[in-house]
Amino acid sequence: MAPPELTQWLFSPIYSQARHTEHRRLLVLSGEYDWVNKSLTSILSDISPSLTVKEIGAENSLLRKHLLGNECDIGVVHSHQGFNPGNLMAIAGTIRWGGCLILCCPTLDSWHLHTRPSHLSHGFTASRSPYIKRLVAILKNDADVAIWNSNNCHIPDSVASDTFDSINRLTPITSESPINRIVSENARATQPVDDEQTRRPQFKSLEQQAAFDCLTNKWSQDNRKAVITAPRGRGKSALVGLFVASRLKKGEKVVITSAIRENTSTLFKHIRIGINSPNSEENKLESKTTDNELSTAGTVTEAAFAVEDFVSEAVSNQASESEKSGSAQWLAPDNPTLIDGDFDLLIIDEAASFPLPVLKMLISAHDNYVISTTLQGYEGSGQGFMQRMLPAFNAEGTLHLSLSTPLRWTKNDKLENLIHNIYLFEGTESFNTFNEVPREARRGVRQEILRELQRKAPTDQSSNDYRIGLVSALSEHELHCVMQLLAAAHYQTTPDDFMRLYDSPDIVLCTQWDDLRLIAAAIINCEGGDPLADVSEGIADGSRRPKGHLGAQRLTLLTANPATASYRYWRINRIAVAPHLQGQGLGTRLVSYINGQALAQHIDALTSSYGASDKLNHFWQQCGFTLVDMGEKPNKASGETSALVVKCISERFGPQQEVLSCLFTHSQATDIVPISKLPTITRNILIKKLNQFVNATRPLNQVSLAINALAAEVSVSTQCVKHTERPTKACTSGTDEVTSEFLLLLSRSPLPTNKLTKLLDVNGRKALTESLRKKIGYMLASITI
């Protein structure tokens, strides 16, 4: 049974008449699975049925993507089956004032020994989780966290000796260099108006009210593009909902989209509030021009199903006959009507959770839009959302509003501060606030840093400015700086990434520092070599795809040679330079330092895979890397095609580099050359890949160029000449016949699978592949090389 003192401490703020002033609380339930579940049931048995409880991490509990835009009083995170950092962040962001978070986990002192990282690359092992050990230290050293296990119960501010614990306390973990998120240069400050000014009842803060007024005024001036960013719980959805309501009163047709429909429930709730409010904001702001349209607020109707059904959502403003009738509806991101429909305003909720190509397509299809998003969180956006999208927003003259006042919980909430301390995504001041400095001062600081770096002889690779090692060896200050820089530089950086970096024995971090300021960082994955010895044959023929080793596996597939996997590689996974120092050659110098370290560690080659662009292609070329492969399709998240580059480090990798260059030259050729006319290296590898395809180990999409060359060879062979003298007739999967029409289709790049399916009279890609394997086998047997 739960100690009465614990339940009183945990739930008293929820029942307080001054709940809106109460901090949220965290209870850690630590112990064996059965004891923890029994204790949790005991704690929750007497709560009021009016309280909302949400759970995550347990079987049949919510997926975290469904938590966006939702609120609860009590959040529960289950961790016995594995800890997911994003789950903790996600549910913490839904808990209202005075509410509580309950973390259910194994015994604290041994938790890190029971956690087996699920993201380990093949061939690597880990007997413990440094990330969990750090997490436990933070929890133990936070005086505001309650911890209950089978032997002790620590209650913050408790003086009862029979309930106070004897948990060993560690040295407190605190950030030495707090860091704020990036704010774009054109972000409009939404400072709260003077305290004397009365806050209107629709708004929960003066800042939210000021943002609404700014947005509405800009709209009246025909500046109808806006981006609203804020940490979680700042009232973005409420602000957008009230703004949509104001447009409905103007008779406008509004379309709303989000990655998940349930996440817009708060937004639609505030549309209803705005529509039904007797205190019309438009009467105050635009009474001189549109008084007649705002005489009544109208009523709310659902065009299809209620929002609780999560099937279709629509809100309309039914006004008098003399007024316009506005409407708002939700559409899925892939609904064609979202692009082709006639709407006055597009709302994109939590835009950073959208793939960039989808986001860009939606924006380009609409003249008027409001985008709202959380910049830091479990969705995977990171500050990279603004880094990638900011140029497009600036080009459109987009208004950027940023909210900072918490509305779902109190200012300086203890739980939010703890979450920041755990994940290090948000917090304080460092290089990332550089863009907020006046331009002249910024230029001076930048020049000072660059002069200092030049003075320190950057060509000296042994300089103390450069450091390399495991992420888990960093101090809290260094960790904070690294995570902030990665979040600022990459579109997808999540709490889960942090745990992966911290726990993985195959990941190395390389950094450059100027005193306590982080200048640049690179994440390096150790790949190939002995860890792949048992699967190299399968990787080479396409039958095995073990976890990790992205670069080593891709190179081995390209060469169809198991020996390629035996080389030791360092793959530069991510590289980032502080935003205010980019373009000064610091990234090139960091790669040069990595090159020297790789040589000292007997690494055979450096690789990197990235979204291809002229700028990045030039960067890697300047660093001495050679492009050896290009992906077939753009990445869904970034919209960019993946490129793979390699730099030879050891002498023994030299011949392998030559093979890769020959293969890439063939892949980029515009003319299709018969397989017998290709260089010996290329010809032998293509034939090997074709045989692997025939033997059903290598997939069709990895042999298309080889099939092109084979078709060209057969076309000029004696057998093909005989076939072309006959009338062309359809091939069927039951014959070995190869017609000129069939060969013509096989000569196209990419392979026209739809036409081949029709010609071979088969149904579906699987049947097409089986039929092609028989045909390719016959064609291989019919040629002499």
Side-chain angles (χ1 to χ4, degrees):
M1 183 175 180
E5 297 89 347
L6 176 63
T7 55
Q8 181 180 2
W9 173 86
L10 192 62
F11 298 129
S12 60
I14 297 180
Y15 298 114
S16 169
Q17 291 184 347
R19 176 176 175 176
H20 286 65
T21 66
E22 295 280 358
H23 289 282
R24 299 175 301 163
R25 302 191 168 188
L26 171 62
L27 166 65
V28 177
L29 268 181
S30 168
E32 296 297 326
Y33 179 79
D34 291 339
W35 181 87
V36 168
N37 276 344
K38 183 178 179 180
S39 300
L40 177 65
T41 301
S42 173
I43 288 175
L44 299 179
S45 61
D46 294 329
I47 64 171
S48 169
S50 64
L51 298 181
T52 303
V53 180
K54 292 188 181 296
E55 300 187 48
I56 195 169
E59 188 177 355
N60 299 323
S61 64
L62 285 171
L63 296 176
R64 68 187 185 202
K65 65 182 181 180
H66 293 288
L67 291 172
L68 273 172
N70 288 280
E71 295 181 343
C72 69
D73 301 294
I74 302 168
V76 181
V77 179
H78 296 273
S79 303
H80 281 83
Q81 303 304 317
F83 179 73
N84 193 304
N87 286 350
L88 182 64
M89 174 179 273
I91 205 162
T94 68
I95 301 171
R96 294 184 282 253
W97 329 263
C100 61
L101 174 63
I102 302 175
L103 172 61
C104 301
C105 64
T107 303
L108 289 181
D109 290 338
S110 60
W111 186 8
H112 67 290
L113 300 175
H114 299 307
T115 300
R116 297 292 180 267
S118 60
H119 45 262
L120 283 178
S121 295
H122 182 86
F124 288 90
T125 60
S127 59
R128 60 189 63 201
S129 169
Y131 181 93
I132 294 297
K133 190 171 183 179
R134 173 182 176 271
L135 172 63
V136 169
I138 292 175
L139 295 174
K140 282 188 173 185
N141 287 283
D142 191 317
D144 296 309
V145 174
I147 301 177
W148 181 24
N149 60 39
S150 58
N151 297 319
N152 304 289
C153 183
H154 164 66
I155 304 173
D157 301 325
S158 172
V159 294
S161 59
D162 59 332
T163 60
F164 199 82
D165 73 288
S166 60
I167 294 174
N168 293 324
R169 295 275 165 180
L170 304 179
T171 303
I173 294 182
T174 57
S175 173
E176 300 174 33
S177 177
I179 300 173
N180 279 332
R181 55 189 173 80
I182 294 175
V183 177
S184 65
E185 290 189 31
N186 72 332
R188 181 172 298 275
T190 54
Q191 298 296 330
V193 292
D194 295 339
D195 292 340
E196 292 78 12
Q197 181 171 337
T198 303
R199 174 170 57 85
R200 301 193 290 276
Q202 290 89 342
F203 303 103
K204 300 300 182 182
S205 72
L206 293 174
E207 181 186 51
Q208 188 184 63
Q209 177 175 298
F212 178 89
D213 291 348
C214 179
L215 186 59
T216 305
N217 286 331
K218 285 295 179 181
W219 233 253
S220 67
Q221 299 168 17
D222 290 329
N223 183 356
R224 301 194 169 188
K225 295 176 173 62
V227 177
I228 302 171
T229 61
R232 192 161 285 104
R234 265 61 181 179
K236 297 185 303 299
S237 295
L239 172 61
V240 174
L242 293 172
F243 179 71
V244 169
S246 74
R247 305 322 302 171
L248 296 184
K249 295 173 184 178
K250 296 295 184 183
E252 294 185 359
K253 189 177 181 181
V254 181
V255 63
I256 299 166
T257 190
S258 61
I260 299 175
R261 123 176 308 288
E262 299 98 306
N263 296 343
T264 58
S265 58
T266 299
L267 191 154
F268 274 97
K269 180 181 80 172
H270 282 86
I271 293 177
R272 297 185 186 93
I273 292 173
I275 288 176
N276 292 316
S277 171
N279 183 11
S280 172
E281 302 305 322
E282 302 304 302
N283 282 330
K284 295 178 183 238
L285 294 170
E286 298 179 339
S287 58
K288 293 182 180 180
T289 57
T290 58
D291 287 347
N292 206 25
E293 296 176 355
L294 304 168
S295 57
T296 62
T299 59
V300 180
T301 62
E302 304 294 340
F305 297 91
V307 66
E308 289 77 11
D309 291 331
F310 303 131
V311 177
S312 178
E313 172 77 68
V315 177
S316 61
N317 175 44
Q318 303 295 336
S320 63
E321 293 184 2
S322 61
E323 292 181 309
K324 299 178 181 178
S325 177
S327 66
Q329 67 178 109
W330 182 90
L331 292 177
D334 59 353
N335 189 320
T337 306
L338 196 59
I339 301 296
D340 304 328
D342 183 19
F343 300 102
D344 299 302
L345 171 62
L346 167 69
I347 303 293
I348 304 179
D349 190 47
E350 288 297 348
S353 61
F354 281 59
L356 278 178
V358 174
L359 191 59
K360 291 177 179 178
M361 179 177 63
L362 293 177
I363 291 174
S364 63
H366 294 267
D367 295 327
N368 307 327
Y369 59 78
V370 174
I371 296 172
S372 71
T373 194
T374 303
L375 290 182
Q376 302 288 22
Y378 58 88
E379 304 92 338
S381 60
Q383 289 289 342
F385 170 77
M386 291 305 295
Q387 293 289 341
R388 295 291 186 93
M389 293 302 300
L390 191 57
F393 292 147
N394 284 338
E396 294 286 339
T398 304
L399 172 68
H400 181 190
L401 297 169
S402 181
L403 302 177
S404 61
T405 303
L407 303 181
R408 195 172 292 161
W409 46 80
T410 62
K411 188 176 182 181
N412 296 319
D413 177 74
K414 294 177 180 178
L415 180 57
E416 183 177 45
N417 291 338
L418 176 64
I419 293 296
H420 289 170
N421 198 26
I422 292 172
Y423 297 118
L424 305 180
F425 276 162
E426 298 184 71
T428 53
E429 230 173 278
S430 80
F431 61 84
N432 281 345
T433 57
F434 191 83
N435 285 337
E436 300 174 19
V437 178
R439 184 165 298 183
E440 292 302 318
R442 185 188 320 162
R443 186 178 296 114
V445 174
R446 175 178 175 176
Q447 293 303 318
E448 179 184 347
I449 293 176
L450 292 175
R451 283 195 299 269
E452 182 66 12
L453 291 173
Q454 292 169 358
R455 184 186 68 78
K456 292 181 179 180
T459 56
D460 179 10
Q461 298 300 321
S462 64
S463 170
N464 289 331
D465 290 333
Y466 292 97
R467 308 170 196 172
I468 191 166
L470 295 177
V471 177
S472 57
L474 298 177
S475 69
E476 282 297 303
H477 164 73
E478 293 166 340
L479 270 177
H480 203 168
C481 292
V482 167
M483 292 310 300
Q484 286 286 282
L485 181 56
L486 292 178
H490 291 274
Y491 185 65
Q492 292 183 314
T493 300
T494 70
D496 299 341
D497 291 330
F498 186 7
M499 186 173 184
R500 184 177 301 110
L501 296 176
Y502 206 82
D503 277 355
S504 297
D506 58 317
I507 292 180
V508 177
L509 174 72
C510 182
T511 54
Q512 182 185 6
W513 299 82
D514 176 49
D515 294 328
L516 294 178
R517 290 176 292 195
L518 179 62
I519 302 300
I523 300 297
I524 302 168
N525 289 71
C526 304
E527 300 184 347
D530 292 340
L532 291 183
D534 62 328
V535 291
S536 60
E537 293 281 351
I539 295 173
D541 67 20
S543 63
R544 293 292 302 272
R545 293 189 64 181
K547 184 173 292 187
H549 302 274
L550 183 151
Q553 289 201 68
R554 200 161 159 189
L555 293 176
T556 305
L557 263 176
L558 283 172
T559 61
N561 183 5
T564 307
S566 67
Y567 294 100
R568 297 178 65 205
Y569 303 93
W570 273 4
R571 177 169 60 89
I572 302 177
N573 188 348
R574 298 185 182 185
I575 185 167
V577 175
H580 57 286
L581 295 175
Q582 291 175 2
Q584 305 298 317
L586 297 177
T588 303
R589 284 159 53 182
L590 184 64
V591 173
S592 178
Y593 174 75
I594 294 171
N595 190 105
Q597 292 295 307
L599 185 62
Q601 296 292 325
H602 307 291
I603 299 302
D604 293 302
L606 297 178
T607 70
S608 187
S609 180
Y610 60 93
S613 66
D614 290 341
K615 181 179 179 180
L616 286 179
N617 291 343
H618 178 71
F619 169 78
W620 289 109
Q621 183 180 11
Q622 288 291 101
C623 292
F625 285 69
T626 301
L627 184 63
V628 295
D629 191 32
M630 289 289 295
E632 294 183 354
K633 298 180 179 179
N635 180 277
K636 291 182 179 181
S638 67
E640 299 164 340
T641 301
S642 175
L644 180 67
V645 291
V646 176
K647 183 176 183 180
C648 179
I649 301 296
S650 69
E651 283 188 19
R652 75 186 193 113
F653 192 78
Q656 198 73 6
Q657 181 92 39
E658 182 182 354
V659 171
L660 291 166
S661 296
C662 288
L663 289 172
F664 185 69
T665 299
H666 170 254
S667 71
Q668 299 303 299
T670 54
D671 296 330
I672 297 177
V673 179
I675 202 165
S676 64
K677 304 298 183 183
L678 292 172
T680 302
I681 292 176
T682 306
R683 179 175 67 247
N684 291 341
I685 291 175
L686 294 189
I687 291 176
K688 191 173 185 179
K689 289 181 178 180
L690 287 170
N691 279 309
Q692 290 169 350
F693 173 68
V694 171
N695 294 329
T697 59
R698 186 174 288 265
L700 177 61
N701 64 349
Q702 292 178 10
V703 292
S704 57
L705 293 178
I707 289 176
N708 293 156
L710 178 63
E713 182 70 29
V714 174
S715 294
V716 297
S717 68
T718 303
Q719 292 176 333
C720 183
V721 171
K722 291 179 180 179
H723 277 295
T724 56
E725 291 173 351
R726 304 175 187 174
T728 300
K729 52 186 177 181
C731 301
T732 64
S733 58
T735 71
D736 290 330
E737 189 171 8
V738 177
T739 67
S740 58
E741 183 180 3
F742 178 63
L743 289 174
L744 181 63
L745 293 179
L746 291 187
S747 299
R748 294 182 183 177
S749 182
L751 292 175
T753 54
N754 289 338
K755 291 183 178 179
L756 284 168
T757 299
K758 184 177 180 180
L759 180 65
L760 296 174
D761 192 25
V762 294
N763 185 20
R765 187 175 181 86
K766 184 176 180 180
L768 171 64
T769 301
E770 291 300 320
S771 179
L772 285 177
R773 283 187 175 127
K774 295 177 182 178
K775 299 290 184 185
I776 299 302
Y778 171 74
M779 293 166 65
L780 279 172
S782 69
I783 62 173
T784 302
I785 297 178

